[in-house]
Amino acid sequence: MSESSDPKLPAARSAPTVPYASYLRVYEPLAAFAEPERTHWASYARRGVAATAQDELRRSLSDLVRVPVVGVPAHESADAFTAEVDGVLLICPWRTRLRGWLALRELVDQFPLPVLDAALPPGARRRAAEEYERWRERNPDARPWIRTGVWQVPLRWFVLVADDEREYLPGERLRYRTPMVQARRRLARALRILRAAEGYGGLAEGLVDVGSWLEEFHPRSMVELDYAGLVHALPADRLRTDRSARDVAAGIAALGAGDADAAARTYAELAERWREVRERLFAN
């Protein structure tokens, strides 16, 4: 994939970096959007100023420090990430409100109830849930273009990308970008191998979920795995030597070749490496 050599100017950054999130994004071609949204995104891209993942995260977090707490924005975001690949404009809408609703539904499984109540009162969560149900009735086919990992990059995401698609700029970014057709092909191959092996049911189940999500998008989309804030939270030497996509591919190849021991060693090392990263969530 050849990208435009004339990138947009990043949005101004005056606030501290928020460190803990990574993202899996889908960028769809402009033609995938119906009017009037297509015209909106075309005009948006012509502005020439690109918002960053940190901009989006800061705006989301700002609602959580208001009084009273706003768990989910009152209105949907009109912002997006954009990219130009082979002369084609690609759009990844933020859909912050939708993602906020979905995140709230997951919080109960991630935090003890007293902690959750202190961070977001039960009344605010109840109102958000009711709003989501009403909205869902009117928008039954809605889905987010972005998935989020907290203090980790889920191992199943690495199945979609290849080591030679890795882009690392110290202090700025670590990401992978791949065509949708490649991501789907890699996922399908990995799923066949994992289903035939023993002990990888959890990873296979996670891939089924990711695969179902990817099927919702235009076949000429681009998939991006972005370490985002983790670039600012993890040591530079850890990032420089991180080749998780290569290691995941090696583990799947070993399984496919019948070398279960080599695959088990690879995945054990990967799981331990990312467990250490996830533990930072509870370090303070």
Side-chain angles (χ1 to χ4, degrees), residues 7-83:
K8 293 178 171 59
L9 295 173
R13 302 180 187 180
S14 58
T17 298
V18 182
Y20 57 74
S22 64
Y23 301 96
L24 185 66
R25 305 187 185 99
V26 172
Y27 292 71
E28 288 196 282
L30 194 61
F33 296 90
E35 294 291 0
E37 193 173 11
R38 183 185 304 175
T39 296
H40 167 74
W41 293 132
S43 176
Y44 182 91
R46 286 195 297 268
R47 295 189 327 186
V49 177
T52 70
Q54 289 293 307
D55 295 326
E56 188 222 1
L57 186 53
R58 289 191 198 103
R59 292 182 199 176
S60 299
L61 292 177
S62 66
D63 286 333
L64 297 179
V65 297
R66 294 180 183 177
V67 179
V69 172
V70 179
V72 176
H75 303 286
E76 188 55 271
S77 170
D79 290 299
F81 300 114
T82 64

Side-chain angles (χ1 to χ4, degrees), residues 69 116-126:
V69 172
L116 186 59
D117 288 346
L120 193 62
R125 298 203 306 275
R126 183 177 60 255

Side-chain angles (χ1 to χ4, degrees), residues 6 14 17 56 71 91 112 151-152 158-159 199 203 217-219 279:
D6 184 24
S14 58
T17 298
E56 188 222 1
I91 305 293
W151 275 114
Q152 65 168 323
F158 289 111
V159 171
L203 184 55
F217 299 100
H218 194 284
E279 286 182 349

Side-chain angles (χ1 to χ4, degrees), residues 8-235:
K8 293 178 171 59
L9 295 173
R13 302 180 187 180
S14 58
T17 298
V18 182
Y20 57 74
S22 64
Y23 301 96
L24 185 66
R25 305 187 185 99
V26 172
Y27 292 71
E28 288 196 282
L30 194 61
F33 296 90
E35 294 291 0
E37 193 173 11
R38 183 185 304 175
T39 296
H40 167 74
W41 293 132
S43 176
Y44 182 91
R46 286 195 297 268
R47 295 189 327 186
V49 177
T52 70
Q54 289 293 307
D55 295 326
E56 188 222 1
L57 186 53
R58 289 191 198 103
R59 292 182 199 176
S60 299
L61 292 177
S62 66
D63 286 333
L64 297 179
V65 297
R66 294 180 183 177
V67 179
V69 172
V70 179
V72 176
H75 303 286
E76 188 55 271
S77 170
D79 290 299
F81 300 114
T82 64
E84 187 173 316
V85 178
D86 297 331
V88 177
L89 176 63
L90 302 175
I91 305 293
C92 177
W94 287 5
R95 291 296 194 271
T96 307
R97 193 181 194 212
L98 171 57
R99 289 163 51 218
W101 277 323
L102 297 177
L104 281 180
R105 299 176 70 187
E106 298 173 359
L107 285 179
V108 175
D109 297 327
Q110 297 178 0
F111 294 95
L113 194 57
V115 175
L116 186 59
D117 288 346
L120 193 62
R125 298 203 306 275
R126 183 177 60 255
R127 287 191 298 274
E130 292 170 352
E131 290 171 358
Y132 175 67
E133 290 305 321
R134 290 193 295 270
W135 182 89
R136 191 68 177 173
E137 290 178 0
R138 301 191 303 271
N139 303 274
D141 298 324
R143 77 282 196 259
W145 279 254
I146 304 172
R147 291 190 164 195
T148 304
V150 179
W151 275 114
Q152 65 168 323
V153 179
L155 292 184
R156 59 187 175 273
W157 291 5
F158 289 111
V159 171
L160 309 178
V161 298
D163 187 64
D164 60 6
E165 293 165 339
R166 182 179 184 269
E167 304 174 25
Y168 178 48
L169 184 61
E172 289 292 328
R173 69 168 178 261
L174 199 172
R175 72 184 182 192
Y176 299 78
R177 286 180 162 182
T178 193
M180 176 65 78
V181 64
Q182 289 280 27
R184 288 175 176 169
R185 185 177 297 126
R186 290 168 184 145
L187 187 147
R189 176 178 178 275
L191 199 52
R192 287 195 300 270
I193 292 172
L194 292 169
R195 282 173 166 168
E198 293 184 4
Y200 294 90
L203 184 55
E205 183 177 345
L207 282 181
V208 169
D209 175 63
V210 173
S212 297
W213 178 63
L214 293 181
E215 287 297 326
E216 297 288 333
F217 299 100
H218 194 284
R220 295 191 64 186
S221 299
M222 177 181 73
V223 178
E224 177 182 72
L225 191 165
D226 186 4
Y227 279 50
L230 293 182
V231 169
H232 306 285
L234 301 179

